[in-house]
Amino acid sequence: MTEQQEVQPNAATPAAPVLEPKNNKNRSGALIGGIAILLALGLTGGLYLHGQQNAVAQQAELNALKQQLAEVTGKLDQNNSKDAEQLAALGKSQQQLQDALDGLQHRVLDLNDKRPNDWMLAESEYLVRMAGRKLWLEHDIISAITLLGNADERIKALNDPSLMPIRKALAEDITKLKGMPRVDREGLTLKLAALSDQIELLPLSTVSMPQAKAEPDQAVSTDPVEWESNLKKNWVKFTENFITIRRRDGAVEALLSPQQEIFLRENLKTKLLQAQLAVYREQQALYEDSLDKAQRWLTQYFDTDNSATQYMQSELDKLKGEQIQFDYPDQFKTQAMLEQVLTERLQRILAGN
């Protein structure tokens, strides 16, 4: 009770209003501090919770990466295993190939030691094939005969009685080729070229006017009996002052212009050039047709009485009688026989006999 009395102020004392604001400030500070503590606790809890969640997520990602790494490692181990198996298989195949190559080399060496003459037989077969190409592609009979003769010399050097049928077939093929007619293609083309060079010197045919008929005597007779003849003569003299008529027998052809003459000579040269090409291509019909047209133009447009024209006509007649196309044998008997013998010997070698 005493303390309460001491605390009570006088009516005139202004102490009570001063104490009330101090209590309010203390309460406000305590409230703010509590709020701050709560906020700190909440923030700390949130950070902890967020960190915990991140840790869990990171752990899950780490586990996933570990699993992927394990899978990749497993696949790599599998691939390495497969690669090792493939390398082993390749090594085995390579060894087999090497063994086969060694065996083949031994067989080749054995072939060189035991049957060296088989190479000469293969060379003979090659010569026969070359002879066929010369004959069928180039129509060169002389070269074909030479190549067949070389093949026969090599087979003869083998001294093998089992090859006598091949030598007999070679002799028949050579005899058949020697019996065929020969064509001097170079000689024919050179003759045609020489004739072509002479075309510029050939004279063209000129117009030859026939002699005019002698005019009858137009003198007037004094004999009265010939009055009718005198009348005709006077009439002829009278008409001569207006028109003159003279009769000539024979056809007269117009001369060629200079340009036409150039074309004519060039066309004649072209025909002789076609004949040269036909010789190399063995085109008998084209060859004869070209020479026929050349002869016809010579007779029609050039002076046939000139010695140069007559010489060219005679040479074209000789050339036209040449045979430039022939029937060649389809194949040689020797070719198939040599191929068969070589195949049989090769099979025996590969079989190890």
Side-chain angles (χ1 to χ4, degrees), residues 312-325:
M312 183 170 289
Q313 285 281 19
S314 63
E315 288 298 314
L316 291 178
D317 281 333
K318 295 178 182 178
L319 292 173
K320 193 167 59 175
E322 294 287 343
Q323 183 73 19
I324 63 171
Q325 186 175 0

Side-chain angles (χ1 to χ4, degrees), residues 59 80 125 137 139 148 157 237 253 267 295:
Q59 185 65 33
N80 290 333
E125 191 270 339
L137 297 180
H139 295 170
L148 291 178
K237 288 181 179 181
E253 297 181 0
N267 288 336
Q295 285 186 310

Side-chain angles (χ1 to χ4, degrees), residues 151-275:
D152 183 63
E153 290 295 330
R154 281 159 176 77
I155 296 176
K156 179 182 177 181
L158 294 177
N159 195 20
D160 188 347
S162 64
L163 300 178
M164 287 303 296
I166 296 179
R167 292 199 64 195
K168 182 180 178 182
L170 267 174
E172 293 177 358
D173 291 333
I174 294 174
T175 302
K176 186 182 295 184
L177 291 182
K178 287 183 177 180
M180 295 186 65
R182 309 292 177 85
V183 179
D184 186 10
R185 295 186 179 85
E186 289 76 12
L188 291 178
T189 53
L190 288 175
K191 287 181 181 179
L192 290 170
L195 293 177
S196 179
D197 294 337
Q198 298 297 319
I199 290 177
E200 296 294 337
L201 305 179
L202 297 178
L204 292 174
S205 60
T206 57
V207 176
S208 57
M209 300 294 292
Q211 296 293 331
K213 293 182 179 180
E215 295 291 337
D217 185 14
Q218 299 294 337
V220 178
S221 174
T222 57
D223 188 356
V225 179
E226 299 179 353
W227 63 271
E228 187 176 358
S229 176
N230 292 334
L231 181 61
K232 290 181 179 179
K233 292 178 180 179
N234 289 330
W235 175 254
V236 170
K237 288 181 179 181
F238 177 75
T239 56
E240 282 181 351
N241 296 327
F242 298 96
I243 184 171
T244 301
I245 299 176
R246 290 186 176 87
R247 298 185 180 276
R248 296 181 184 273
D249 296 331
V252 179
E253 297 181 0
L255 296 174
L256 295 176
S257 65
Q259 186 176 10
Q260 290 175 333
E261 179 182 349
I262 294 174
F263 289 156
L264 174 63
R265 295 183 188 275
E266 292 300 323
N267 288 336
L268 187 55
K269 291 180 182 179
T270 301
K271 288 302 174 184
L272 296 183
L273 179 60
Q274 286 181 352

Side-chain angles (χ1 to χ4, degrees), residues 123-141:
E123 187 177 357
S124 300
E125 191 270 339
Y126 172 75
L127 291 173
V128 172
R129 282 193 288 111
M130 289 300 298
R133 292 179 181 178
K134 280 289 184 181
L135 179 63
W136 299 312
L137 297 180
E138 302 178 18
H139 295 170
D140 189 351
I141 299 178

Side-chain angles (χ1 to χ4, degrees), residues 36 69 91 101 145 186 206 266 310:
L69 181 60
L101 180 60
I145 294 174
E186 289 76 12
T206 57
E266 292 300 323
Q310 293 176 355

